[in-house]
Amino acid sequence: MIPGTRRRRQRQDKVTLSDVAQRAGVSAITVSRALRDPEKVSPQLRDTILRVVEEMGYVPDLAARALASKNSGLVGVVSPGLTSHAFLALIRGIEDRVRPSDLRIQYASADSDSEDQLHQLRFFMSQNPAGLIHVGQIGDPAIDDLLRRAPCPVVEIMDISRQPTDMAVGIDHRLAAETATRHLLAKGYRRIAMLGGAWDFRARRRQEGFHAVLEEAGLYDPALVLSIDSSTSVGLGCHLLDRLRNEFPDADAAFCHNDDIALGVLFECQRRGLGVPGDFGICGFNDLEYAGFAFPAITSVRVPRYEIGYRAVDMIIRASGSGTYPAKVVDLGYQLVSRGSTAREG
């Protein structure tokens, strides 16, 4: 065998978009549309094309795509805390929407430092991406300026309370916090604390809502806002409740940055012999699965994390596929799930 013959034959035998189109009995454009923008193809035809793609083992030629469409087919996701429980549903939503397309996802976990996020965003932009999904130091002028100059659709996710640089999908964290705080007031709690970790943009918006409602009720005490500049955890919740009760033994409830903190608060209440919800009320945020299985079950604000991830990718696909942008801001709403941790009479 002549050296290199086998390698050349393997290259020549690579399944192409035209091969898939011929087998499926459609045009190459229809195959591309089924992969990149499946809503534009009938469900029956889409299923046929996807079955042929799987049978033939078709893999999109990303280099050819980049030459033809002026982007690499990459969607970059830049976010802090990608390994946290709260982001798992978000990632599932992203992956489920990308799966039937010919796009691919790359993740970068950047901390809250603006320079780190700028570095990751510049790296993705150097790859001629099809789109960017960003959750981080929203409102930082340098990041905003970079995102405005991005050569692709950009979706800022999780919070929609400010004008985005391009598009945004999520919830209004300030309104969600207002709802949670009013719930605690309605249940008869009056010395309500806010407990959390690092003050990212979303946490600050929740603090604003918490502050506004208690200020209106004449019950806001800034000394009851306790946080430590670190990642949130169950252990941090235990520590914060211990500190709160040592300094303010009359504190009777806590609105927590997330469910990890809330679970730690619950554990520390149990260790101290505090009755929940009678002596102390607890409200979390995100409504992770375990919140409903704790005892007592933890009241929490349900955030549609899966839907946020799914919609973010869908917005990029629609914007890059048709050239016409979908709605600039998509508010997916939230839900206060009232459970045993606040179930006392007001």
Side-chain angles (χ1 to χ4, degrees):
M1 181 186 300
I2 300 174
T5 301
R6 185 174 181 179
R7 289 178 59 194
R8 284 196 298 272
R9 184 175 294 121
Q10 287 175 338
R11 288 197 194 100
Q12 292 167 354
D13 292 343
K14 180 179 178 180
V15 178
T16 67
L17 193 72
S18 297
D19 295 332
V20 174
Q22 185 175 2
R23 173 79 68 86
V26 298
S27 68
I29 292 176
T30 301
V31 174
S32 179
R33 185 177 296 122
L35 294 174
R36 296 185 60 187
D37 207 355
E39 285 79 6
K40 293 187 177 180
V41 179
S42 69
Q44 183 177 358
L45 181 56
R46 182 173 66 244
D47 290 344
T48 298
I49 292 171
L50 293 178
R51 186 175 65 253
V52 172
V53 165
E54 184 174 354
E55 289 172 354
M56 299 184 71
Y58 170 67
V59 178
D61 187 335
L62 297 175
R65 175 200 170 106
L67 289 173
S69 64
K70 296 184 181 179
N71 74 62
S72 62
L74 162 74
V75 175
V77 181
V78 178
S79 172
L82 283 172
T83 57
S84 74
H85 291 97
F87 278 94
L88 295 180
L90 177 80
I91 291 172
R92 286 200 302 272
I94 289 173
E95 297 290 342
D96 283 354
R97 183 60 185 92
V98 164
R99 191 167 291 113
S101 76
D102 61 349
L103 299 174
R104 73 189 193 281
I105 296 289
Q106 285 188 14
Y107 297 96
S109 183
D111 61 29
S112 58
D113 178 72
S114 296
E115 286 303 316
D116 189 23
Q117 293 188 37
L118 284 167
H119 171 75
Q120 298 291 357
L121 288 168
R122 290 190 185 107
F123 173 74
F124 280 135
M125 288 185 190
S126 71
Q127 301 181 64
N128 296 318
L132 289 171
I133 297 173
H134 179 246
V135 51
Q137 287 297 105
I138 301 174
D140 182 279
I143 291 177
D144 285 351
D145 182 62
L146 185 64
L147 292 177
R148 288 191 189 95
R149 293 186 285 109
C152 61
V154 175
V155 181
E156 296 168 34
I157 61 172
M158 301 310 289
D159 187 84
I160 50 87
S161 62
R162 72 168 200 132
Q163 185 66 31
T165 56
D166 188 8
M167 297 180 287
V169 57
I171 71 168
D172 189 319
H173 283 249
R174 173 172 174 147
L175 290 180
E178 290 179 2
T179 298
T181 308
R182 289 194 180 98
H183 170 77
L184 291 169
L185 288 174
K187 292 298 181 178
Y189 299 106
R190 291 297 178 265
R191 291 286 286 163
I192 304 171
M194 188 172 200
L195 306 178
W199 289 97
D200 62 16
F201 178 81
R202 292 164 300 285
R204 291 197 300 271
R205 292 293 289 163
R206 293 198 291 274
Q207 198 277 334
E208 290 170 7
F210 171 83
H211 183 173
V213 170
L214 290 182
E215 186 75 33
E216 182 181 358
L219 295 171
Y220 180 68
D221 182 350
L224 295 180
V225 178
L226 303 181
S227 66
I228 293 178
D229 189 14
S230 69
S231 299
T232 55
S233 66
V234 175
L236 181 60
C238 293
H239 172 76
L240 288 171
L241 193 279
D242 181 62
R243 176 180 157 192
L244 174 70
R245 291 289 295 189
N246 286 338
E247 296 179 13
F248 306 98
D250 61 336
D252 61 359
F255 175 40
C256 305
H257 278 192
N258 58 31
D259 293 337
D260 288 354
I261 296 287
L263 187 61
V265 169
L266 176 61
F267 287 162
E268 183 63 18
C269 283
Q270 292 169 344
R271 189 185 72 80
R272 285 172 164 262
L274 288 173
V276 177
D279 298 324
F280 200 87
I282 304 169
C283 181
F285 201 91
N286 284 321
D287 194 33
L288 299 182
E289 182 182 21
Y290 62 73
F293 291 93
F295 185 78
I298 298 171
T299 295
S300 189
V301 176
R302 179 172 296 165
V303 180
R305 301 180 309 282
Y306 176 91
E307 291 79 4
I308 289 172
Y310 190 98
R311 186 65 71 88
V313 177
D314 188 68
M315 292 167 78
I316 287 172
I317 290 174
R318 291 176 181 275
S320 59
S322 64
T324 58
Y325 277 50
K328 287 284 190 177
V329 178
V330 177
D331 185 353
L332 293 178
Y334 59 87
Q335 178 186 358
L336 179 74
V337 183
S338 179
R339 297 192 178 100
S341 68
T342 58
R344 76 175 187 180
E345 294 299 322

